[in-house]
Amino acid sequence: MATQAATGPWYRRRRWPVLRVVVVTIVTAAAIALSGAIFSGVEVQDFGSALAAALLIGIVNALLWPLAMRLLLPITVLTLGLAALVLNGAVVLAVASLDRGFVVDSLGDGILVAFVLTVVNTITTSLLTIDDDEPYYRNVVRRRARRSEGAVESDVPGLLFLEIDGLAHEVVRRAIRDGNVPTLAAWLHDGTHHLTRWETDWSSQTGACQAGLLHGDNDDMPAFRWWEKDRDAPMVTNKPRDAMELERRHSDGHGLLYADGASRANILSGDAPHSLLTMSTVLDRDRPGRVGQDYFAYFASPYNVMRTLALVIREIAAERRSAGQQVRFDVRPRIHRSFVYSVMRAWATVIQLDLQVQAVISDIYAGRPVTYTTFLAYDEVAHHSGIERPETLITLRRVDRQIRRIAAAVEGAPRPYRLVVLSDHGQSQGETFLDRYGESLESVVRAATDSDEVAAPDAHPDEALGYLGAGLTEAADTTSTRGRALHGLTRGRTGDDGAVDLGHPDGDQPAGDDRPPEIVVMASGCLGLVSFPREPGRMTLERFEACHPRLLPALRRHPGVGFVLVRSEAHGALAIGPDGTNHLDEGWVDGEDPLAAFGPHAAEKVRRTDGFPHCPDIVVNSTYWAEGDEVAAFEELVGSHGGMGGPQSYPFVLHPVELEMPAEELLGAEAVHRVFRRWLAALGQDAYAEPVHAPPV
């Protein structure tokens, strides 16, 4: 198998490393000469001096960079590479002291030169395409291959699950048609893969969907965040502590990845022994594959760091420009997009994307039998820009390119691999509830109950912020010197459990005294959840009529509310809409069915949620306007998911033709999990040959 890897197409292109060194050195020299022409504090005598400086910069970087990164890695990570720019500026200043034809007056001037070098090199290598695959091979794949002498060699195919978070079936179909995912389109056109649609449960969000996909159990997960009366606390899926608890509830120890599999950048781990950037495992210090090591590998090359920094700056600038254009041309729907969000977008679309791809390639060369990773980038941009806006489709093309790199890396793996691309849910678009009506769901509830104690915990719509916090949590491993340094730098944002929280302090905990608030209103896209924490058990229709008689009428008559779920002592589960009620348990409809607009399985989905032990007292689904294919999110999001209405409920699986899907459309993530296990068994992975029926621990 080693011979096969060594003769693969990536290993035959030996001429490219030498060519790249020559081209980059000449381009660096030209950039140094350019810096001398534009900066008053920089002087370059002639091109020969610039060429000598370029060679010296390369030599100094090669000798000093690895040691410097070991010492400065925590600061580099926290500053998204900005510290590396300062370090490169110092290198430029040091080289100027050795080259008499190259003068740099100060560290500030050195930093300016370093930045010009980064931008010019990145642009030039991209235009010449020598930065497309070869540097990635040289810096990542070949290094991983050399380290994988102990890799598991096997003729049994492995399975790579590559999830594109939030990408709906109908959106990916148009992207295939329009050339926005050329890798996926080529697989379809070549006949190697099929595209299949499936349907989520009512809770169309990553937590519940991944619990079903990875663990085969997403019972009692009504939304992305909800209030639990028995704990007097909220449950927030992307909080490491809560994600760990959710995995404890839903894992039977034999999840989709339990047999030496790997979880990369997911909410739950699927019981994978190898985990990176996964919410449910970042507090587990005993797992192999520490993220600190991967950070070091990522930042170990000055080229990687400076390239990343240039791409981060480009992404921030692109986000600020596109946000401004939406305002200038009055593009609607739209939301306010802060500078903090632009930084988080850069994290999701540049740094996390590169980190997880490196980790997946590492898994490939280690011969792991199954890996599951979630690409956050599309979902993050679609939330804020729209599901098919220009910048969103650019991000989708970037994800497709990374999938192509993973597919190319498979050629040199110690076992054959099958690639499955999927989504966990889609997104639906529309003007937010607040923008449409000038009031929030919280204010509607407050007015209808006359309560001064209505809490609406901060929803933190920037999901990338949670993943960055998770990455810092995992990297701040106090068993290593670098981890301890990073832990010290993030101490002010670290909770008692060791999790780094970059959101607002206590943002998910309602303010008040020791008692919980009277009413809590939480949001999960176009799904709203209303709970009365001081009321024991679940409040019923009859109790609402006695205590808050105006609340349910106010909700059912609101034009932004499609229906509400409430339980009646006399009639069981009720889906109540503006002009009718669906008696879910009794099986009949009074007036117009409020669930008719949400598909043939809507009643089944709502009835299932009603049976959850932690079902909120009232669950609100926004209106779905079929004519414009729009919903109204209760969060400030352009593209949203979490409830029903539109493409959010219809994700996809792009799978090899030899891995067959059932003839009927799959309903619910648990059903998809069972198909995935059958695929693993069909490929010859004996650990999945028998179904596991053990109840969750």
Side-chain angles (χ1 to χ4, degrees):
M1 188 60 69
T3 302
Q4 176 184 345
T7 59
W10 282 31
Y11 286 82
R12 289 200 296 264
R13 296 185 291 183
R14 298 292 185 184
R15 67 187 184 278
W16 284 110
V18 176
L19 175 61
R20 183 180 184 279
V21 169
V22 172
V23 172
V24 169
T25 301
I26 293 173
V27 169
T28 301
I32 290 172
L34 175 65
S35 299
I38 61 179
F39 299 131
S40 60
V42 180
E43 182 179 341
V44 181
Q45 182 175 335
D46 50 35
F47 189 77
S49 299
L51 191 60
L55 289 170
L56 284 171
I57 288 172
I59 293 171
V60 172
N61 274 332
L63 294 175
L64 298 182
W65 191 272
L67 176 61
M69 277 297 96
R70 287 188 179 275
L71 298 175
L72 299 177
L73 178 64
I75 298 176
T76 302
V77 170
L78 277 178
T79 59
L80 306 184
L82 287 175
L85 181 59
V86 176
L87 180 60
N88 259 11
V91 169
V92 170
L93 190 62
V95 166
S97 67
L98 301 175
D99 184 352
R100 294 185 179 180
F102 179 42
V103 178
V104 178
D105 289 345
S106 66
L107 177 60
D109 293 313
I111 292 173
L112 291 175
V113 174
F115 182 71
V116 170
L117 298 184
T118 299
V119 173
V120 171
N121 271 306
T122 300
I123 293 174
T124 304
T125 53
S126 296
L127 289 175
L128 294 177
T129 71
I130 63 173
D131 186 40
D132 190 15
D133 286 327
E134 182 59 29
Y136 194 84
Y137 153 74
R138 184 174 61 85
N139 293 327
V140 181
V141 179
R142 187 168 61 185
R143 182 175 65 244
R144 296 298 190 188
R146 287 174 174 174
R147 291 179 180 176
S148 299
E149 295 179 359
V152 177
E153 296 194 13
S154 175
D155 293 329
V156 176
L159 202 50
L160 302 178
F161 293 100
L162 309 177
E163 178 191 305
I164 305 177
D165 191 9
L167 183 59
H169 175 263
E170 65 181 57
V171 175
V172 78
R173 285 188 63 197
R174 288 192 288 268
I176 289 168
R177 179 198 64 192
D178 297 338
N180 288 314
V181 283
T183 302
L184 307 190
W187 294 351
L188 278 180
H189 295 158
D190 292 344
T192 63
H193 284 67
H194 284 322
L195 181 67
T196 301
R197 189 181 84 162
W198 63 281
E199 186 173 351
T200 68
D201 304 291
W202 188 7
S203 183
S204 57
Q205 47 83 22
T206 302
C209 292
Q210 284 197 354
L213 292 169
L214 292 171
H215 291 280
D217 176 20
N218 62 0
D219 186 71
D220 200 21
M221 296 184 69
F224 190 78
R225 49 182 69 83
W226 65 91
W227 186 271
E228 297 194 340
K229 292 186 179 183
D230 54 348
R231 297 171 52 245
D232 276 342
M235 179 66 76
V236 183
T237 303
N238 70 342
K239 295 292 184 183
R241 179 182 60 254
D242 292 347
M244 180 180 288
E245 169 62 16
L246 289 172
E247 181 154 323
R248 185 196 67 79
R249 296 179 186 181
H250 296 278
S251 169
D252 62 3
H254 291 78
L256 188 69
L257 311 177
Y258 88 100
D260 198 35
S263 169
R264 308 304 186 188
N266 303 312
I267 294 289
L268 303 177
S269 77
D271 296 317
H274 310 276
S275 182
L276 170 75
L277 290 170
T278 297
M279 291 293 179
S280 64
T281 64
V282 295
L283 296 175
D284 185 353
R285 302 300 185 190
D286 297 327
R287 284 181 177 255
R290 304 296 310 142
V291 71
Q293 299 169 358
D294 289 87
Y295 268 121
F296 180 76
Y298 184 73
F299 288 111
S301 163
Y303 172 77
N304 275 353
V305 173
M306 300 305 288
R307 170 187 169 275
T308 295
L309 179 60
L311 293 176
V312 165
I313 293 173
R314 184 189 71 178
E315 190 70 10
I316 292 173
E319 160 55 25
R320 301 313 298 158
R321 182 177 65 254
S322 61
Q325 287 177 340
Q326 284 196 353
V327 174
R328 187 177 311 115
F329 297 112
D330 196 26
V331 175
R332 294 184 180 277
R334 70 170 186 269
I335 59 171
H336 171 69
R337 286 142 66 175
S338 68
F339 180 78
V340 171
Y341 161 67
S342 66
V343 176
M344 291 305 99
R345 169 175 156 176
W347 160 264
T349 60
V350 178
I351 298 178
Q352 175 165 311
L353 192 58
D354 279 352
L355 273 172
Q356 69 185 106
V357 169
Q358 287 201 23
V360 171
I361 291 177
S362 176
D363 294 330
I364 290 170
Y365 279 94
R368 305 216 189 284
V370 56
T371 294
Y372 193 110
T373 191
T374 302
F375 294 116
L376 174 67
Y378 168 84
D379 188 71
E380 180 71 13
V381 178
H383 274 317
H384 296 78
S385 298
I387 63 176
E388 291 180 279
R389 298 275 168 77
E391 59 265 41
T392 313
L393 294 177
I394 288 172
T395 301
L396 183 58
R397 286 197 291 272
R398 187 176 299 160
V399 173
D400 180 86
R401 181 176 179 230
Q402 297 289 359
I403 291 172
R404 176 169 58 83
R405 284 177 163 171
I406 291 172
V410 164
E411 296 179 21
R415 69 158 77 221
Y417 278 97
R418 306 291 184 265
L419 273 66
V420 175
V421 181
L422 72 151
S423 58
D424 53 345
H425 55 77
Q427 284 197 28
S428 299
Q429 191 164 293
E431 198 167 14
T432 68
F433 190 89
L434 179 61
D435 284 347
R436 283 176 183 270
Y437 304 110
E439 59 182 352
S440 64
L441 182 61
E442 174 198 0
S443 62
V444 172
V445 172
R446 187 187 302 274
T449 58
D450 295 324
S451 174
D452 294 329
E453 293 189 65
V454 179
D458 192 344
H460 299 330
D462 292 338
E463 289 185 49
L465 198 66
Y467 275 98
L468 177 55
L472 293 173
T473 299
E474 199 165 24
D477 181 0
T478 55
T479 62
S480 69
T481 302
R482 296 192 300 269
R484 286 193 294 272
L486 185 56
H487 176 74
L489 291 170
T490 58
R491 188 182 303 275
R493 288 287 184 175
T494 302
D496 294 338
D497 58 0
V500 177
D501 186 353
L502 300 178
H504 303 298
D506 300 320
D508 292 304
Q509 297 287 349
D513 54 26
D514 293 337
R515 295 190 307 164
E518 181 184 6
I519 306 173
V520 174
V521 180
M522 306 184 83
S524 182
C526 68
L527 197 69
L529 305 99
V530 184
S531 297
F532 291 73
R534 297 177 190 173
E535 290 279 342
R538 186 170 169 193
M539 287 190 72
T540 63
L541 172 69
E542 292 79 8
R543 180 68 174 159
F544 282 120
E545 290 174 342
C547 299
H548 302 286
R550 293 186 292 116
L551 178 56
L552 289 175
L555 290 173
R556 74 180 298 178
R557 288 197 298 262
H558 197 289
V561 173
F563 68 93
V564 299
L565 168 65
V566 68
R567 187 156 194 85
S568 166
E569 296 172 13
H571 302 287
L574 303 176
I576 304 174
D579 301 307
T581 299
N582 188 319
H583 292 69
L584 296 162
D585 289 342
E586 297 175 347
W588 62 283
V589 177
D590 179 16
E592 294 185 13
D593 185 1
L595 301 180
F598 298 96
H601 301 296
E604 179 183 348
K605 296 179 184 181
V606 176
R607 188 184 303 111
R608 178 176 186 251
T609 298
D610 178 79
F612 290 168
H614 290 108
C615 180
D617 296 319
I618 303 173
V619 185
V620 183
N621 201 105
S622 94
T623 301
Y624 171 59
W625 292 273
E627 184 176 10
D629 198 20
E630 291 187 325
V631 297
F634 299 118
E635 299 176 88
E636 290 305 289
L637 301 171
V638 177
S640 68
H641 55 88
M644 291 188 292
Q648 64 183 311
S649 297
Y650 300 100
F652 71 93
V653 179
L654 184 75
H655 55 97
V657 293
E658 66 267 30
L659 302 179
E660 296 182 353
M661 277 283 191
E664 69 279 3
E665 186 172 50
L666 294 172
L667 175 61
E670 295 178 350
V672 181
H673 170 86
R674 292 190 289 271
V675 171
F676 288 171
R677 294 186 77 95
R678 287 200 295 270
W679 287 353
L680 287 164
L683 289 173
Q685 296 196 25
D686 294 338
Y688 300 92
E690 296 296 331
V692 177
H693 299 291
V697 178

